[in-house]
Amino acid sequence: MDQQEASLQALRRIAYLLERTLAEPYRVQAFRKAADAIEVLQLDQFEQLAKMNRLQSVSGVGAKTEKIVNEVLATGATSYLTDLEAEPWPPEMNDAALAIRNALRGDCHTHSLWSDGGSSIADMARASRALGHEYNVLTDHSPRLTIANGLTPERLRAQFDEVEHVNELLAEESPLYRVLRGIEVDINEDGTLDQEDELLGELDVVVASVHSKLRMEARFMTRRMIIAVQNPRTTILGHCTGRKIVGRGRPPSQFDAKAVFQACVDTKTAIEINCRPERVDPPDELLQLAAEMGCTFAIDTDSHAPGQLDWIVLGCIRAAQYGITADRILNTRIPA
């Protein structure tokens, strides 16, 4: 491996590990931009600029990223990356959690640059494949969530073409891997889904989630969620309480969990075990209830960047804690 390639790998690995720790996106992008800028340089040009300490003259390379590259060139490593790698990962898993992790074949809830994700469809897919998955379900947001650049019907159709193109590229590298078409569709206040029904019917996976009016009165929220779950297009009920437990936080929505979960059992709709560290949704008491009621589940990262795909182990640990076995988990198989 030449020094330019070693520098690229270090910068991209740093970005990946920062994503896993929920670092601010601008910090992550600084390393990715530097890697992209250095990658297009000819080897001799890179070596000359590095020798003259002029890498910062390349647009996208800053003082910190130049320092890291210089350290890699001088020693073959960088303390910044070494410190990140030293952070314990993955969390300790017992035999039950390991069995679930080994059975998982894909991730059913991920985002890309098309909505509010930070990476391309291809980059997310390659990171997923590197984890040993057979597929990655692309579930960008629906139109109503304008803050997340939700996809209009026209943009979703255009995304279908991009997914097909990415799958053609990936087939040349790994014919057994593919990106599946999906969506994280908003559950409207009346329980309808925020996308054309015909389009929803063309998708492999539909994750239905509440993103608005989360403080709705419990009886109305219950009705809203049950109607969404009973929609034959719905595959997975996403982050069911909508809570956030870090920073300023957000309390969970109130609803009749028994009624909603029974609707999930009746319709064979999976309940998402959302792996995002700031969500951990459903909360423990609801996850235990859903497990006892015989629900099926999907262990999803809800990742918005490649490094966040690693969070899937967190869902495996929680599933094992409540006696949920691999045969009850949707993504131990390819969604029909």
Side-chain angles (χ1 to χ4, degrees), residues 95-281:
D95 289 345
L98 280 169
I100 293 170
R101 178 65 190 97
N102 291 335
L104 293 184
R105 299 172 67 182
D107 192 329
C108 292
H109 185 172
T110 70
H111 296 275
S112 77
L113 283 168
W114 281 70
S115 64
D116 61 341
S119 292
S120 68
I121 296 171
D123 284 346
M124 291 294 289
R126 289 190 174 101
S128 166
R129 185 181 60 190
L131 293 177
H133 291 167
E134 298 174 30
Y135 63 87
N136 184 55
V137 185
L138 178 64
T139 54
D140 281 322
H141 289 284
S142 62
R144 176 172 175 166
L145 205 62
T146 54
I147 193 172
N149 195 26
L151 274 62
T152 62
E154 294 73 25
R155 291 184 64 221
L156 183 56
R157 290 186 180 94
Q159 190 181 75
F160 290 174
D161 295 334
E162 176 69 11
V163 168
E164 184 177 356
H165 174 65
V166 169
N167 278 332
E168 288 172 357
L169 291 176
L170 294 173
E172 298 175 5
E173 305 167 9
S174 179
L176 298 180
Y177 185 90
R178 63 192 176 110
V179 178
L180 300 181
R181 300 189 307 193
I183 192 170
E184 183 180 15
V185 64
D186 266 31
I187 300 174
N188 296 320
E189 291 170 41
D190 62 358
T192 58
L193 303 183
D194 178 42
Q195 190 50 275
E196 294 178 358
D197 186 69
E198 180 183 353
L199 265 178
L200 293 176
E202 295 182 42
L203 299 172
D204 298 295
V205 172
V206 172
V207 180
S209 306
V210 173
H211 288 108
S212 62
K213 300 291 178 98
L214 276 78
R215 307 310 301 148
M216 178 182 283
E217 187 179 336
R219 61 192 175 112
F220 295 121
M221 181 64 81
T222 301
R223 178 178 179 274
R224 177 184 186 181
M225 295 172 74
I226 288 175
I227 290 172
V229 164
Q230 290 175 337
N231 189 312
R233 303 301 191 196
T234 301
T235 315
I236 299 167
L237 176 62
H239 47 68
C240 64
T241 74
R243 73 171 186 171
K244 290 192 176 178
I245 58 174
V246 299
R248 296 175 63 184
R250 183 167 64 208
S253 295
Q254 298 301 306
F255 56 91
D256 184 339
K258 284 186 179 180
V260 171
F261 294 166
Q262 186 59 54
C264 289
V265 171
D266 294 342
T267 59
K268 297 186 170 126
T269 301
I271 294 172
E272 178 177 79
I273 300 176
N274 190 288
C275 303
R276 292 192 68 85
E278 79 274 31
R279 286 193 181 275
V280 193
D281 201 358

Side-chain angles (χ1 to χ4, degrees), residues 52-78:
M52 297 169 63
N53 289 318
R54 292 192 57 226
L55 280 173
Q56 279 191 72
S57 66
V58 179
S59 178
V61 180
K64 187 163 192 173
T65 48
E66 182 185 46
K67 180 181 178 181
I68 285 171
V69 170
N70 287 338
E71 193 176 355
V72 171
L73 297 179
T75 68
T78 166

Side-chain angles (χ1 to χ4, degrees), residues 24-46:
E24 292 292 335
Y26 76 89
R27 290 181 59 203
V28 176
Q29 288 306 315
F31 292 98
R32 284 228 165 87
K33 285 179 180 177
D36 291 343
I38 289 171
E39 185 175 31
V40 299
L41 298 175
Q42 296 293 325
L43 179 58
D44 58 350
Q45 183 184 13
F46 166 76

